[in-house]
Amino acid sequence: MQRTVFWLAGLMVLPVAAEARTEISWWHAMTGANAEVVTKIANDFNASQENYEVKPVFKGTYPETLNAGIAAFRAGQAPDIIQVFDVGTGVMMGAQGAIKPVAEVLQEGGYDFDKSQYLPGIVGYYSTPEGDMLSFPYNSSSPILYYNKDIFEKAGLDVDNPPKTWAEVWAAARQIKESGAATCGYTSTWLTWIHTENFAAWNNVSWGTNENGLAGTPELKIDGPLFVKHFQELADQAKEGVFVYGGRTSEAKQNFTSGECGILTESSGGLGDIVKSGMNYGIGQLPYDETAEGAPQNTTPGGASLWVMGGKSDETYKGVAAFFNYLSQTEVQQYLHEQSGYLPVTMAAYEATKGSDFYQQNPGRETPILQMMGKEPTENSKGVRAPNLPQLRDIQNEEYEKMLAGQQDAATALKNAVERGNAAIREAAGG
């Protein structure tokens, strides 16, 4: 008799457990160590409550994930949450009806939303001009310099003092190659984000008109003298084999982790794979041009944010709100920051990390935050925005690659990038 009662009780319980959770799909572009962080955060959230289950799905590189999201929305099969890199912000902002602002999602989900809790340089980038936050800044980053200490030592360079200016980078890179300490002195990911957009902000020169597009449709100004000087120096280093080009996004990180190149400029979010490589590395701030007045200024956030797609059920939005509230918790943000190198998006997480001995034990890990928050942003350093920023980056990359292949000089490359880019902006803006 007892067996029958327990068996029937089990039957009655099973259906309740099976239908309890609402699934939340999360499309992302994280690989390597950062993908492991995504999985752990989702699993920890799922284990923390019984109503919702976040399911991360890898959709390729940043551009591939954005394109997949656009295609899925048009087909009526959009995910609930999609990770979109910083340059897709303008695209997503212009997608009327396709997204639901994250501030609304949190407030409707019953959570107090106070944007003052978030790092101002980050929250401002993902907000409307009125200050309403549109997306959740999941993995914000700042470009920094990494260097291989063993290669520095072999080359006779000071392992405790990484280069601070571009002139010092060129000299150190040349010494690495000429000494035979490595076959390549310097490499870099993201020539558009690091050497163009952040180069402008860090050196306080204009990327484009209308406050770099934040105050209206911009016209590009990246053919100015400082840009021409910088890219010609980069082209000269490439001609000598001192600089090695890895690719348009984060491919060059492999050139560094393999030991081929001694110096790398890359996102702070690239840290996880560098740590995983086991190399003896150091961190320095993003180099600046010593001839630029007032440099260094401040860097602008890169990385990506999480956008909530429109047209979902109320229950789905409640689950998304619960997940974003979980992501905002200090211990979660502290874990994300310490494991990945991405910036903590809340002031509380930053203060908690500072209050521990983490920065003392891990020199250089506070560098990306100090770069972004060190000075009040100017009209040149709040960030960049355009209705078709991914397309502009493709145009710039095409011209840079011709330059690095010796087919044109820097002045021509930048002139072409501006002319083609401005024509594309006018077309995208409907003019």
Side-chain angles (χ1 to χ4, degrees), residues 1-2 14 27 60 73 115 164-165 173 179 255 259 287 320 329:
M1 183 67 181
Q2 274 187 318
L14 278 174
W27 287 10
F73 173 75
K115 68 179 181 182
K164 293 182 175 60
T165 67
S179 68
N255 298 36
V320 172
Q329 292 178 12

Side-chain angles (χ1 to χ4, degrees), residues 118-122 142 202 297-300 343-344 346-347 350-351 354 366-377:
Y118 298 83
L119 266 65
I122 294 174
S142 182
W202 196 225
Q297 171 56 38
N298 66 277
T299 54
T300 59
L343 309 183
T346 63
M347 292 300 297
Y350 178 39
E351 293 299 332
K354 278 205 294 186
E366 194 177 11
T367 297
I369 305 171
L370 298 175
Q371 284 183 172
M372 203 172 66
M373 296 177 60
K375 288 183 181 177
E376 192 69 25

Side-chain angles (χ1 to χ4, degrees), residues 72-346:
F73 173 75
R74 288 173 178 163
Q77 298 175 332
D80 303 318
I81 303 169
I82 183 170
Q83 182 187 34
V84 176
F85 64 151
D86 56 317
V87 295
T89 300
V91 175
M92 298 299 285
M93 286 178 73
Q96 297 296 330
I99 61 119
K100 186 173 175 69
V102 71
E104 281 182 27
V105 173
L106 284 165
Q107 286 165 345
E108 291 174 8
Y111 298 99
D112 292 329
F113 174 66
D114 179 6
K115 68 179 181 182
S116 68
Q117 295 175 359
Y118 298 83
L119 266 65
I122 294 174
V123 74
Y125 190 83
Y126 295 113
S127 299
T128 64
E130 296 74 38
D132 297 322
M133 198 155 84
L134 294 169
S135 60
F136 187 90
Y138 168 72
N139 60 308
S140 286
S141 59
S142 182
I144 55 177
L145 180 142
Y146 299 92
Y147 64 104
N148 186 315
K149 289 188 173 184
D150 294 338
I151 290 175
F152 261 49
E153 190 171 2
K154 286 178 189 172
L157 294 165
D158 188 342
V159 297
D160 296 319
N161 288 297
K164 293 182 175 60
T165 67
W166 285 113
E168 290 175 1
V169 170
W170 310 144
R174 187 170 285 111
Q175 189 168 327
I176 287 169
K177 182 170 175 59
E178 290 178 353
S179 68
T183 57
C184 149
Y186 167 63
T187 190
S188 182
T189 61
W190 298 99
L191 296 193
T192 47
W193 177 55
I194 296 175
H195 289 264
T196 313
E197 296 155 21
N198 265 286
F199 178 84
W202 196 225
N203 292 290
N204 198 23
V205 293
S206 177
W207 175 89
T209 59
N210 283 328
E211 297 181 24
N212 294 340
L214 270 70
T217 305
E219 286 191 359
L220 297 176
K221 297 179 70 176
I222 60 171
D223 56 351
L226 206 67
F227 292 98
V228 173
K229 170 180 177 282
H230 178 70
F231 275 95
Q232 191 56 55
E233 289 169 346
L234 195 65
D236 293 342
Q237 290 261 319
K239 189 176 181 180
E240 296 173 33
V242 174
F243 168 75
V244 168
Y245 177 62
R248 295 184 176 186
T249 61
S250 58
E251 299 90 344
K253 182 166 56 177
Q254 175 61 29
N255 298 36
F256 180 69
T257 56
S258 68
E260 178 190 354
C261 300
I263 305 171
L264 168 75
T265 44
E266 152 70 331
S267 164
S268 58
L271 179 84
D273 287 331
I274 290 169
V275 170
K276 213 172 178 182
S277 74
M279 77 158 56
N280 183 18
Y281 73 94
I283 291 175
Q285 68 177 20
L286 182 68
Y288 61 94
D289 189 305
E290 70 281 2
T291 68
E293 189 176 343
Q297 171 56 38
N298 66 277
T299 54
T300 59
S305 63
L306 303 182
W307 292 79
V308 185
M309 302 306 287
K312 304 297 181 178
S313 69
D314 289 345
E315 190 60 28
T316 295
Y317 287 135
K318 284 181 185 176
V320 172
F323 180 52
F324 284 172
N325 183 65
Y326 175 82
L327 278 176
S328 298
Q329 292 178 12
T330 299
E331 59 270 24
V332 177
Q333 282 298 313
Q334 194 173 354
Y335 166 79
L336 177 64
H337 170 49
E338 293 180 5
Q339 289 296 313
S340 68
Y342 287 113
L343 309 183
V345 300
T346 63

Side-chain angles (χ1 to χ4, degrees), residues 9-23:
L11 273 183
M12 288 187 287
V13 170
L14 278 174
V16 177
E19 63 185 17
R21 287 180 180 257
T22 298
E23 287 187 7

